[in-house]
Amino acid sequence: MELHNIEKLIEKYFEATTTVAEEETLRKYFTEGNVAPHLEQHAPLFNYFTKAKEERFTKQVPLKPRKNYLKWASVAAIAIFMVGLYFYQPTPPPVTLADEYTPEEIESAKEALALLAMNFNKGTEQLNHLEEFEKTTNKFLTKNN
């Protein structure tokens, strides 16, 4: 086999573009023993593949019988579902204000809250005067120090 052709095949092999026949040609070349000195670095790779092809596993593999866990798991799931259905107690619908109070009671509560809001706003108006007082007091205190 021509050395130039082998070098091209090695390049194709490492680019993963060789065919099976070309790989077989490379294996034959590297196992024959007449390998060029600059290509000897690739020889262990192809020799390994040749030896690996001949290896066989001769030990007996113990096969355990498959257990039907899936069947029992489905039976358990159905049993849990049935127990859940038996003990299921639907929650009552939420109570609204209209169900609990009469419209007159709701209106009187609205009026009471409006009165509370009005008185609260009056109280906060008085705080504005207090803030003005505090500002002027601070002006005098900082000037005197």
Side-chain angles (χ1 to χ4, degrees), residues 20 22 50 60 82 114 135:
V20 176
E22 291 170 337
T50 305
Q60 282 287 355
M82 296 303 286
K135 285 180 188 176

Side-chain angles (χ1 to χ4, degrees), residues 29 36 41 49 59 97 118 131-132:
Y29 175 76
Q41 62 184 359
F49 289 137
K59 193 175 182 182
L97 286 178
M118 186 176 67
E131 287 176 9
E132 289 295 322

Side-chain angles (χ1 to χ4, degrees), residues 12-65:
K12 281 179 67 177
Y13 180 80
F14 287 117
E15 291 172 0
T17 57
T18 56
T19 62
V20 176
E22 291 170 337
E23 289 177 16
E24 189 60 36
T25 305
L26 284 172
R27 265 190 222 98
K28 284 182 186 176
Y29 175 76
F30 284 106
T31 55
E32 286 177 354
N34 299 331
V35 180
H38 68 283
L39 296 178
E40 285 180 358
Q41 62 184 359
H42 303 296
L45 175 73
F46 291 99
N47 289 332
Y48 170 77
F49 289 137
T50 305
K51 290 177 185 174
K53 263 187 172 180
E54 296 170 0
E55 289 181 3
R56 299 286 180 245
F57 186 75
T58 57
K59 193 175 182 182
Q60 282 287 355
V61 178
L63 298 176
K64 296 179 182 177

